[in-house]
Amino acid sequence: MDLKSQLLREEGAEPCAYQDSLGYWTIGVGRLIDSRKGGGLSPDEIDFLLENDIKRNYEAVLAALPWMEKLNDARQAVLIGMAFQMGLKGLLQFKRALGSIEDGQYAEAAVEMLESKWGNQTPERAYRMAQQMETGEWIP
């Protein structure tokens, strides 16, 4: 036995946040994330999670929309970002916008994005993403 095995045995491994026996939010192998007790993530851990999330979303979107590979990086980032925010199922609800993107009709896709429920719920983000889709340029 080693320390890692021992900690796994004693703490268990939980993939979702849960409240420990004292009511503090914890995740993984007894990792305190509750800010009331000084818990949280380091910048390196946040970056690690983000890199994993980007990779997972890229792979999911590419599997569902193989034509995405033909888009430039800025346009791919819009689709991946939308999947990141809404999940793949949410992104795939944009049937008209996705059809327009696949056909290279980026201005039309941008309008469809902005006229969606998502466009109304997060208007500033949707505007930036629609601009990026239309122009193919990164929006600062």
Side-chain angles (χ1 to χ4, degrees), residues 17 34 39 61 101-102 108 114:
D34 197 313
V61 174
I101 296 166
E102 184 177 12
E108 186 176 321
L114 291 172

Side-chain angles (χ1 to χ4, degrees), residues 41-110:
L41 301 173
S42 72
D44 286 345
E45 291 165 325
I46 292 169
D47 190 57
F48 179 79
L49 292 172
L50 178 58
E51 290 295 331
N52 285 340
D53 290 343
I54 290 169
K55 182 179 181 206
R56 186 183 69 247
N57 279 284
Y58 172 82
E59 291 169 353
V61 174
L62 187 59
L65 307 170
W67 50 261
M68 180 186 76
E69 201 166 41
K70 295 183 275 183
L71 302 176
N72 71 9
D73 288 348
R75 289 188 172 115
Q76 286 185 20
V78 172
L79 297 178
I80 296 163
M82 291 173 74
F84 190 96
Q85 182 183 7
M86 297 177 278
L88 181 64
K89 286 183 181 180
L91 169 64
L92 295 179
Q93 296 301 308
F94 286 74
K95 294 185 187 317
R96 287 183 312 172
L98 292 171
S100 295
I101 296 166
E102 184 177 12
D103 293 340
Q105 303 297 318
Y106 304 120
E108 186 176 321

